[in-house]
Amino acid sequence: DSGVTQTPKHLITATGQRVTLRCSPRSGDLSVYWYQQSLDQGLQFLIQYYNGEERAKGNILERFSAQQFPDLHSELNLSSLELGDSALYFCASSAGPQSSDGYTFGSGTRLTVV
Amino acid sequence: DAKTTQPTSMDCAEGRAANLPCNHSTISGNEYVYWYRQIHSQGPQYIIHGLKNNETNEMASLIITEDRKSSTLILPHATLRDTAVYYCIVRVDYAGNMLTFGGGTRLMVKP
């Protein structure tokens, strides 16, 4: 157990639908990052939140959004889903001001759009 | 963050040392070298990181050249469970700085 919890582990939904992926960071971590990994593709950075505020955006589609709540958990919302959105979605968290111990990743949510 | 270059794939015999190279010729003085690995479909796992000195932990050793333009991750006694994609990432180490993953090296440990 890495300490980063992602739910659900698997999600199957139809095109056009909306889903919410949830991430609870490791205790004490202030930053949450979302990554997408499509089949045989690399890890693509989507978005980062730091202590409740958006810090950085990567290749995130306008149909996707995220937020980080006061208790520091984060949700990634994916709407108007397309077949190409099928992927593994990983959440990571990093330590507080001293980030020398690197990131910790969750085990991911596998999203299948049919 | 500086760009890195890694071989696409490598093989290693079980029980032997696996040496994974990484080139980062444009690295800046305040950028660290990080190594992560991803075992099939699992979340990436932190291995080790360093600035300019060689580092060792229970998982691996990191050798950084004196000019810091390249580094080598060493798994001293590779096992089948070390089969994974290994990512070398160079980044400035401050709170909240993202990780940018490249293609990595697919290491296959063979019996």
PDB file of all heavy atoms in Angstrom, chain B residues 7-34:
ATOM      1  N   PRO B   7      17.758   4.217 -23.637  1.00  0.00           N
ATOM      2  CA  PRO B   7      17.505   3.161 -24.628  1.00  0.00           C
ATOM      3  C   PRO B   7      16.072   2.661 -24.476  1.00  0.00           C
ATOM      4  O   PRO B   7      15.512   2.660 -23.376  1.00  0.00           O
ATOM      5  CB  PRO B   7      18.522   2.076 -24.266  1.00  0.00           C
ATOM      6  CG  PRO B   7      18.973   2.391 -22.879  1.00  0.00           C
ATOM      7  CD  PRO B   7      18.822   3.853 -22.692  1.00  0.00           C
ATOM      8  N   THR B   8      15.494   2.247 -25.588  1.00  0.00           N
ATOM      9  CA  THR B   8      14.102   1.816 -25.571  1.00  0.00           C
ATOM     10  C   THR B   8      13.925   0.542 -24.764  1.00  0.00           C
ATOM     11  O   THR B   8      12.955   0.393 -24.019  1.00  0.00           O
ATOM     12  CB  THR B   8      13.599   1.598 -26.999  1.00  0.00           C
ATOM     13  OG1 THR B   8      13.789   2.799 -27.738  1.00  0.00           O
ATOM     14  CG2 THR B   8      12.128   1.219 -27.009  1.00  0.00           C
ATOM     15  N   SER B   9      14.874  -0.382 -24.902  1.00  0.00           N
ATOM     16  CA  SER B   9      14.734  -1.646 -24.200  1.00  0.00           C
ATOM     17  C   SER B   9      16.105  -2.243 -23.890  1.00  0.00           C
ATOM     18  O   SER B   9      17.099  -1.917 -24.537  1.00  0.00           O
ATOM     19  CB  SER B   9      13.918  -2.641 -25.038  1.00  0.00           C
ATOM     20  OG  SER B   9      14.590  -2.933 -26.239  1.00  0.00           O
ATOM     21  N   MET B  10      16.116  -3.107 -22.874  1.00  0.00           N
ATOM     22  CA  MET B  10      17.331  -3.813 -22.475  1.00  0.00           C
ATOM     23  C   MET B  10      16.942  -5.155 -21.889  1.00  0.00           C
ATOM     24  O   MET B  10      15.851  -5.301 -21.321  1.00  0.00           O
ATOM     25  CB  MET B  10      18.092  -3.018 -21.399  1.00  0.00           C
ATOM     26  CG  MET B  10      18.695  -1.732 -21.840  1.00  0.00           C
ATOM     27  SD  MET B  10      19.588  -0.921 -20.487  1.00  0.00           S
ATOM     28  CE  MET B  10      20.854  -2.113 -20.135  1.00  0.00           C
ATOM     29  N   ASP B  11      17.847  -6.104 -22.026  1.00  0.00           N
ATOM     30  CA  ASP B  11      17.676  -7.397 -21.391  1.00  0.00           C
ATOM     31  C   ASP B  11      18.742  -7.576 -20.324  1.00  0.00           C
ATOM     32  O   ASP B  11      19.845  -7.014 -20.422  1.00  0.00           O
ATOM     33  CB  ASP B  11      17.803  -8.537 -22.402  1.00  0.00           C
ATOM     34  CG  ASP B  11      16.633  -8.601 -23.360  1.00  0.00           C
ATOM     35  OD1 ASP B  11      15.587  -7.998 -23.055  1.00  0.00           O
ATOM     36  OD2 ASP B  11      16.764  -9.244 -24.414  1.00  0.00           O
ATOM     37  N   CYS B  12      18.422  -8.391 -19.331  1.00  0.00           N
ATOM     38  CA  CYS B  12      19.387  -8.687 -18.281  1.00  0.00           C
ATOM     39  C   CYS B  12      19.108 -10.096 -17.768  1.00  0.00           C
ATOM     40  O   CYS B  12      17.940 -10.500 -17.646  1.00  0.00           O
ATOM     41  CB  CYS B  12      19.257  -7.674 -17.144  1.00  0.00           C
ATOM     42  SG  CYS B  12      20.347  -7.978 -15.743  1.00  0.00           S
ATOM     43  N   ALA B  13      20.179 -10.831 -17.488  1.00  0.00           N
ATOM     44  CA  ALA B  13      20.007 -12.166 -16.929  1.00  0.00           C
ATOM     45  C   ALA B  13      19.713 -12.077 -15.439  1.00  0.00           C
ATOM     46  O   ALA B  13      20.277 -11.241 -14.711  1.00  0.00           O
ATOM     47  CB  ALA B  13      21.265 -13.002 -17.170  1.00  0.00           C
ATOM     48  N   GLU B  14      18.836 -12.929 -15.000  1.00  0.00           N
ATOM     49  CA  GLU B  14      18.479 -12.963 -13.583  1.00  0.00           C
ATOM     50  C   GLU B  14      19.720 -13.199 -12.733  1.00  0.00           C
ATOM     51  O   GLU B  14      20.560 -14.045 -13.046  1.00  0.00           O
ATOM     52  CB  GLU B  14      17.465 -14.084 -13.342  1.00  0.00           C
ATOM     53  CG  GLU B  14      16.879 -14.097 -11.945  1.00  0.00           C
ATOM     54  CD  GLU B  14      15.854 -15.204 -11.766  1.00  0.00           C
ATOM     55  OE1 GLU B  14      15.858 -16.155 -12.573  1.00  0.00           O
ATOM     56  OE2 GLU B  14      15.042 -15.125 -10.824  1.00  0.00           O
ATOM     57  N   GLY B  15      19.848 -12.413 -11.650  1.00  0.00           N
ATOM     58  CA  GLY B  15      20.986 -12.531 -10.767  1.00  0.00           C
ATOM     59  C   GLY B  15      22.161 -11.659 -11.129  1.00  0.00           C
ATOM     60  O   GLY B  15      23.056 -11.439 -10.311  1.00  0.00           O
ATOM     61  N   ARG B  16      22.152 -11.142 -12.350  1.00  0.00           N
ATOM     62  CA  ARG B  16      23.225 -10.247 -12.770  1.00  0.00           C
ATOM     63  C   ARG B  16      22.835  -8.801 -12.493  1.00  0.00           C
ATOM     64  O   ARG B  16      21.671  -8.489 -12.220  1.00  0.00           O
ATOM     65  CB  ARG B  16      23.502 -10.429 -14.271  1.00  0.00           C
ATOM     66  CG  ARG B  16      23.833 -11.850 -14.687  1.00  0.00           C
ATOM     67  CD  ARG B  16      25.117 -12.328 -14.030  1.00  0.00           C
ATOM     68  NE  ARG B  16      26.297 -11.618 -14.475  1.00  0.00           N
ATOM     69  CZ  ARG B  16      27.053 -11.973 -15.504  1.00  0.00           C
ATOM     70  NH1 ARG B  16      26.742 -13.048 -16.218  1.00  0.00           N
ATOM     71  NH2 ARG B  16      28.131 -11.268 -15.823  1.00  0.00           N
ATOM     72  N   ALA B  17      23.828  -7.921 -12.556  1.00  0.00           N
ATOM     73  CA  ALA B  17      23.546  -6.499 -12.372  1.00  0.00           C
ATOM     74  C   ALA B  17      22.913  -5.932 -13.643  1.00  0.00           C
ATOM     75  O   ALA B  17      23.347  -6.242 -14.745  1.00  0.00           O
ATOM     76  CB  ALA B  17      24.822  -5.752 -12.042  1.00  0.00           C
ATOM     77  N   ALA B  18      21.921  -5.128 -13.448  1.00  0.00           N
ATOM     78  CA  ALA B  18      21.297  -4.408 -14.567  1.00  0.00           C
ATOM     79  C   ALA B  18      21.762  -2.958 -14.496  1.00  0.00           C
ATOM     80  O   ALA B  18      21.621  -2.313 -13.452  1.00  0.00           O
ATOM     81  CB  ALA B  18      19.781  -4.477 -14.471  1.00  0.00           C
ATOM     82  N   ASN B  19      22.359  -2.501 -15.581  1.00  0.00           N
ATOM     83  CA  ASN B  19      22.868  -1.133 -15.651  1.00  0.00           C
ATOM     84  C   ASN B  19      22.058  -0.363 -16.687  1.00  0.00           C
ATOM     85  O   ASN B  19      22.163  -0.619 -17.884  1.00  0.00           O
ATOM     86  CB  ASN B  19      24.350  -1.126 -16.043  1.00  0.00           C
ATOM     87  CG  ASN B  19      25.209  -1.816 -15.006  1.00  0.00           C
ATOM     88  OD1 ASN B  19      25.473  -1.273 -13.940  1.00  0.00           O
ATOM     89  ND2 ASN B  19      25.617  -3.035 -15.298  1.00  0.00           N
ATOM     90  N   LEU B  20      21.282   0.581 -16.233  1.00  0.00           N
ATOM     91  CA  LEU B  20      20.412   1.339 -17.134  1.00  0.00           C
ATOM     92  C   LEU B  20      20.955   2.747 -17.291  1.00  0.00           C
ATOM     93  O   LEU B  20      21.001   3.519 -16.335  1.00  0.00           O
ATOM     94  CB  LEU B  20      18.986   1.388 -16.584  1.00  0.00           C
ATOM     95  CG  LEU B  20      18.238   0.053 -16.568  1.00  0.00           C
ATOM     96  CD1 LEU B  20      18.431  -0.674 -15.256  1.00  0.00           C
ATOM     97  CD2 LEU B  20      16.763   0.285 -16.828  1.00  0.00           C
ATOM     98  N   PRO B  21      21.343   3.106 -18.526  1.00  0.00           N
ATOM     99  CA  PRO B  21      21.933   4.433 -18.747  1.00  0.00           C
ATOM    100  C   PRO B  21      20.883   5.498 -19.048  1.00  0.00           C
ATOM    101  O   PRO B  21      19.783   5.204 -19.514  1.00  0.00           O
ATOM    102  CB  PRO B  21      22.820   4.204 -19.968  1.00  0.00           C
ATOM    103  CG  PRO B  21      22.084   3.155 -20.746  1.00  0.00           C
ATOM    104  CD  PRO B  21      21.384   2.277 -19.720  1.00  0.00           C
ATOM    105  N   CYS B  22      21.275   6.727 -18.793  1.00  0.00           N
ATOM    106  CA  CYS B  22      20.415   7.870 -19.101  1.00  0.00           C
ATOM    107  C   CYS B  22      21.305   9.066 -19.441  1.00  0.00           C
ATOM    108  O   CYS B  22      22.240   9.371 -18.698  1.00  0.00           O
ATOM    109  CB  CYS B  22      19.524   8.193 -17.911  1.00  0.00           C
ATOM    110  SG  CYS B  22      18.430   9.612 -18.159  1.00  0.00           S
ATOM    111  N   ASN B  23      21.026   9.693 -20.564  1.00  0.00           N
ATOM    112  CA  ASN B  23      21.735  10.909 -20.949  1.00  0.00           C
ATOM    113  C   ASN B  23      20.884  12.132 -20.668  1.00  0.00           C
ATOM    114  O   ASN B  23      19.693  12.153 -21.004  1.00  0.00           O
ATOM    115  CB  ASN B  23      22.108  10.875 -22.436  1.00  0.00           C
ATOM    116  CG  ASN B  23      23.234   9.909 -22.703  1.00  0.00           C
ATOM    117  OD1 ASN B  23      24.163   9.815 -21.913  1.00  0.00           O
ATOM    118  ND2 ASN B  23      23.150   9.180 -23.791  1.00  0.00           N
ATOM    119  N   HIS B  24      21.489  13.111 -20.052  1.00  0.00           N
ATOM    120  CA  HIS B  24      20.787  14.373 -19.758  1.00  0.00           C
ATOM    121  C   HIS B  24      21.780  15.501 -19.913  1.00  0.00           C
ATOM    122  O   HIS B  24      22.121  16.185 -18.936  1.00  0.00           O
ATOM    123  CB  HIS B  24      20.134  14.342 -18.373  1.00  0.00           C
ATOM    124  CG  HIS B  24      20.862  13.526 -17.344  1.00  0.00           C
ATOM    125  ND1 HIS B  24      21.997  13.984 -16.680  1.00  0.00           N
ATOM    126  CD2 HIS B  24      20.622  12.283 -16.877  1.00  0.00           C
ATOM    127  CE1 HIS B  24      22.411  13.052 -15.849  1.00  0.00           C
ATOM    128  NE2 HIS B  24      21.609  12.007 -15.939  1.00  0.00           N
ATOM    129  N   SER B  25      22.223  15.697 -21.136  1.00  0.00           N
ATOM    130  CA  SER B  25      23.329  16.618 -21.409  1.00  0.00           C
ATOM    131  C   SER B  25      22.983  18.079 -21.151  1.00  0.00           C
ATOM    132  O   SER B  25      23.889  18.905 -21.014  1.00  0.00           O
ATOM    133  CB  SER B  25      23.806  16.445 -22.851  1.00  0.00           C
ATOM    134  OG  SER B  25      22.738  16.690 -23.746  1.00  0.00           O
ATOM    135  N   THR B  26      21.700  18.416 -21.089  1.00  0.00           N
ATOM    136  CA  THR B  26      21.315  19.825 -20.872  1.00  0.00           C
ATOM    137  C   THR B  26      20.885  20.083 -19.431  1.00  0.00           C
ATOM    138  O   THR B  26      20.256  21.093 -19.140  1.00  0.00           O
ATOM    139  CB  THR B  26      20.175  20.223 -21.817  1.00  0.00           C
ATOM    140  OG1 THR B  26      19.044  19.378 -21.567  1.00  0.00           O
ATOM    141  CG2 THR B  26      20.600  20.089 -23.272  1.00  0.00           C
ATOM    142  N   ILE B  27      21.262  19.214 -18.542  1.00  0.00           N
ATOM    143  CA  ILE B  27      20.855  19.348 -17.149  1.00  0.00           C
ATOM    144  C   ILE B  27      21.402  20.634 -16.547  1.00  0.00           C
ATOM    145  O   ILE B  27      22.538  21.042 -16.831  1.00  0.00           O
ATOM    146  CB  ILE B  27      21.309  18.115 -16.335  1.00  0.00           C
ATOM    147  CG1 ILE B  27      20.658  18.087 -14.962  1.00  0.00           C
ATOM    148  CG2 ILE B  27      22.826  18.057 -16.238  1.00  0.00           C
ATOM    149  CD1 ILE B  27      20.886  16.776 -14.213  1.00  0.00           C
ATOM    150  N   SER B  28      20.590  21.270 -15.733  1.00  0.00           N
ATOM    151  CA  SER B  28      21.006  22.494 -15.055  1.00  0.00           C
ATOM    152  C   SER B  28      21.560  22.167 -13.673  1.00  0.00           C
ATOM    153  O   SER B  28      21.314  21.087 -13.140  1.00  0.00           O
ATOM    154  CB  SER B  28      19.816  23.452 -14.909  1.00  0.00           C
ATOM    155  OG  SER B  28      19.297  23.789 -16.162  1.00  0.00           O
ATOM    156  N   GLY B  29      22.276  23.138 -13.109  1.00  0.00           N
ATOM    157  CA  GLY B  29      22.936  22.901 -11.838  1.00  0.00           C
ATOM    158  C   GLY B  29      21.999  22.581 -10.689  1.00  0.00           C
ATOM    159  O   GLY B  29      22.397  21.920  -9.730  1.00  0.00           O
ATOM    160  N   ASN B  30      20.750  23.032 -10.774  1.00  0.00           N
ATOM    161  CA  ASN B  30      19.816  22.797  -9.675  1.00  0.00           C
ATOM    162  C   ASN B  30      18.825  21.669  -9.972  1.00  0.00           C
ATOM    163  O   ASN B  30      17.828  21.516  -9.268  1.00  0.00           O
ATOM    164  CB  ASN B  30      19.049  24.080  -9.358  1.00  0.00           C
ATOM    165  CG  ASN B  30      18.212  24.558 -10.526  1.00  0.00           C
ATOM    166  OD1 ASN B  30      18.409  24.119 -11.659  1.00  0.00           O
ATOM    167  ND2 ASN B  30      17.283  25.455 -10.281  1.00  0.00           N
ATOM    168  N   GLU B  31      19.093  20.904 -11.011  1.00  0.00           N
ATOM    169  CA  GLU B  31      18.195  19.806 -11.358  1.00  0.00           C
ATOM    170  C   GLU B  31      18.708  18.477 -10.816  1.00  0.00           C
ATOM    171  O   GLU B  31      19.889  18.158 -10.936  1.00  0.00           O
ATOM    172  CB  GLU B  31      18.011  19.720 -12.870  1.00  0.00           C
ATOM    173  CG  GLU B  31      17.157  20.856 -13.426  1.00  0.00           C
ATOM    174  CD  GLU B  31      16.958  20.755 -14.922  1.00  0.00           C
ATOM    175  OE1 GLU B  31      17.951  20.553 -15.647  1.00  0.00           O
ATOM    176  OE2 GLU B  31      15.794  20.877 -15.364  1.00  0.00           O
ATOM    177  N   TYR B  32      17.792  17.724 -10.262  1.00  0.00           N
ATOM    178  CA  TYR B  32      18.095  16.407  -9.744  1.00  0.00           C
ATOM    179  C   TYR B  32      17.799  15.348 -10.799  1.00  0.00           C
ATOM    180  O   TYR B  32      16.950  15.546 -11.674  1.00  0.00           O
ATOM    181  CB  TYR B  32      17.241  16.111  -8.505  1.00  0.00           C
ATOM    182  CG  TYR B  32      17.663  16.816  -7.260  1.00  0.00           C
ATOM    183  CD1 TYR B  32      17.497  18.197  -7.115  1.00  0.00           C
ATOM    184  CD2 TYR B  32      18.216  16.114  -6.191  1.00  0.00           C
ATOM    185  CE1 TYR B  32      17.870  18.846  -5.957  1.00  0.00           C
ATOM    186  CE2 TYR B  32      18.590  16.750  -5.026  1.00  0.00           C
ATOM    187  CZ  TYR B  32      18.417  18.118  -4.916  1.00  0.00           C
ATOM    188  OH  TYR B  32      18.792  18.761  -3.761  1.00  0.00           O
ATOM    189  N   VAL B  33      18.425  14.192 -10.656  1.00  0.00           N
ATOM    190  CA  VAL B  33      18.121  13.034 -11.485  1.00  0.00           C
ATOM    191  C   VAL B  33      17.278  12.075 -10.648  1.00  0.00           C
ATOM    192  O   VAL B  33      17.688  11.651  -9.559  1.00  0.00           O
ATOM    193  CB  VAL B  33      19.388  12.312 -11.955  1.00  0.00           C
ATOM    194  CG1 VAL B  33      19.017  11.102 -12.818  1.00  0.00           C
ATOM    195  CG2 VAL B  33      20.291  13.277 -12.734  1.00  0.00           C
ATOM    196  N   TYR B  34      16.097  11.773 -11.149  1.00  0.00           N
ATOM    197  CA  TYR B  34      15.189  10.848 -10.478  1.00  0.00           C
ATOM    198  C   TYR B  34      15.021   9.594 -11.332  1.00  0.00           C
ATOM    199  O   TYR B  34      15.029   9.655 -12.565  1.00  0.00           O
ATOM    200  CB  TYR B  34      13.801  11.473 -10.316  1.00  0.00           C
ATOM    201  CG  TYR B  34      13.658  12.410  -9.154  1.00  0.00           C
ATOM    202  CD1 TYR B  34      14.118  13.717  -9.213  1.00  0.00           C
ATOM    203  CD2 TYR B  34      13.031  11.991  -7.982  1.00  0.00           C
ATOM    204  CE1 TYR B  34      13.982  14.576  -8.141  1.00  0.00           C
ATOM    205  CE2 TYR B  34      12.886  12.845  -6.889  1.00  0.00           C
ATOM    206  CZ  TYR B  34      13.363  14.137  -6.985  1.00  0.00           C
ATOM    207  OH  TYR B  34      13.223  14.983  -5.929  1.00  0.00           O
TER     208      TYR B  34
END
